[in-house]
Amino acid sequence: MAYSYQLKRVDFIFRNENDWEKVLSTTIKKKPDEIINELISSELKGRGGAGFPTGLKWKLTAESKETEKYVICNADEGEPGTFKDREILSKVPYKVLTAMAVCGYVTGAKEGYIYLRGEYKFLENELNKAIDEFLYYCQEINLDFKIKIFMGSGAYICGEETALMESMEGRRGEPRNKPPFPTQAGYRNKPTVINNVETLVHTWTIFKYGAKKFYDLGVQYSRGTKLFSVSGDTPKPGIYELELGMSLQDFVYEFGDGDTKAVQVGGASGFLVPRKKFKDTAIGYEGKLVGISLPTGGSMMLFNSSRSMFNVLDNYLEFFREESCGQCTPCRVGCQQLLLGIKAVKRGEKPASYLDKLLKLTETMQLTAKCGLGQSVANSFSSIVENFREEMIY
Amino acid sequence: MNPIQSLIKDLADQYGRKRENLLPVMQGVVQKEKYLSEYTMIEIAREMDIPAAEVFGTATFYSFLETKPAGQFIIRVCKTITCAMKGKNQLLFAIQDMLKIKIGETTPDNKFTLLETNCLGWCHKAPAMLINDDVYTEVTPEKVREILTGYIKETN
């Protein structure tokens, strides 16, 4: 029997719309509270991967009594397998800029920054042109808001929000302790809203079409659409906007090459799902009622049966070992030891049971590492080792 | 004032001399000089009144702020998973074979430095590489020979 599947393609984000001036001027005629309530009722969650409710983030910053506040657009897109934010900034920069300005209006921030990763420096000139034109209009309507680009210099960890702020303050990109959260003490220790590029574009959709339109898409706990960066063993790699809540099985039917062995959901810091679990896995934020639900910043990498999962894990671990900021021991030493460990097992220098010791180590890292990088190494490590143990050994 | 000192002074005038201006100043130097020498870092520290150790610590954190001499064109080949699956090694062999350098080395004429780097964000068009700020995607060994020939001609 043929399997019938349904993926819901949507076209909001890249829809070519030339009315940003109108969207901006009508949105800032509303009261800040009204805008915040609209965002909250849309149930938009952060699209960088962590999934914090966007409306609440804006609200917390707006409530702060401080007069100096900031808006930051996180364009340090470094997660392996993710490439959507660049596409947004090159195709619809005005939506991002408008959303930043509205956020400034709502929270009382007068300055916004786009932290652009060094690998995307070729975008800088075009983006600056868009910013100039945008700020010219802001002046015309007496909106006191400035936007500048801050260039990164090749450090994955700077995508972590507090590391990004350290970097903007001219230091090593080492994550801070939380709390305090950026909404209380962020850039220059002032209340800061920091949102992923895609999150900002979704707020534009909500401003323009209303919260209900957004809320009606997706499923419970995972409302709206999401951009997916599809790569690996697929006949059609690229960027796709899909409704949240789809099953991984449906996704593989659409994007697989007929021989899909596993899918890495959420990049190197995410989870590897083997074929047998495709139908029990949904893509969305936690809280779905059936099966497991995996959040993702949008990275979907497909592997077919010709791929060695040992090589995949080896590649991830080398990535983490290099990108660990080195500040806390569990992550710095943990990443090194995991990489040495799987190689030793592969060469037969350590018994297969050594893998269990390494799994314990990732548990320790998950509990004790200071930031998401060290904590999330356990995700890919355990999901690969537990599902493809034989490939690690032989 | 020697050329490095005046470059640093110009950049500090442009961006400011506060700690938060350190990255833009260092990026400006790297743009021109390709790397930050020990001398350069000490001069940045002096100009901005920041401890030299702090400048060194910050510079060495960022992979695009080179602290070793580098050529006019820095080739960075992406080595992360999808590029590794889609022929990054063949690409590296072709470059090494053509330029007669290994990863981490610079050609004797100081034109090219070959490096590997982590995910460049072009996984749907793998393998990808950067030459300075310019991106090249779906690079085959034939294509890379053409690209490099272009750079060589441009500078001769």
Side-chain angles (χ1 to χ4, degrees), chain A residues 86 117 154 171-172 188 322, chain B residues 20 57 62-63 79 119 121:
Chain A
R86 180 196 60 238
R117 68 189 300 226
R171 290 190 287 269
R172 294 166 67 89
R188 294 174 175 160
E322 285 177 12
Chain B
E20 63 187 41
Y62 295 93
S63 66
K79 64 171 177 180
C119 193

Side-chain angles (χ1 to χ4, degrees), chain B residues 10 41 43 60 81 83-84 88 99 106 124-125 127 137 145 150:
Chain B
D10 289 349
M41 287 189 267
E43 282 304 312
T60 49
I81 187 70
C83 288
K88 163 230 83 160
L99 300 178
T106 301
H124 56 323
K125 294 181 177 173
T137 57
R145 279 189 281 267

Side-chain angles (χ1 to χ4, degrees), chain B residues 98-144:
Chain B
M98 186 170 169
L99 300 178
K100 312 282 178 241
I101 48 171
K102 294 198 200 80
I103 296 164
E105 291 180 351
T106 301
T107 51
D109 61 0
N110 250 337
K111 254 183 205 166
F112 295 99
T113 297
L114 177 60
L115 299 171
E116 282 187 304
T117 190
N118 282 327
C119 193
L120 289 174
W122 292 92
C123 322
H124 56 323
K125 294 181 177 173
M129 66 174 192
L130 283 177
I131 298 184
N132 290 349
D133 297 334
D134 295 322
V135 183
Y136 296 90
T137 57
E138 293 170 302
V139 198
T140 56
E142 299 78 54
K143 217 167 137 185
V144 79

Side-chain angles (χ1 to χ4, degrees), chain A residues 35 50 66 88 130 174 206 211 253 265 300 315 325 329 340 353 356 375:
Chain A
I35 298 172
E66 290 263 8
I88 293 175
E174 293 175 348
I206 293 163
Y253 267 94
V265 180
M300 305 290 278
N315 189 288
C325 80
T329 314
L340 290 172
S353 61
D356 301 317
Q375 291 161 11

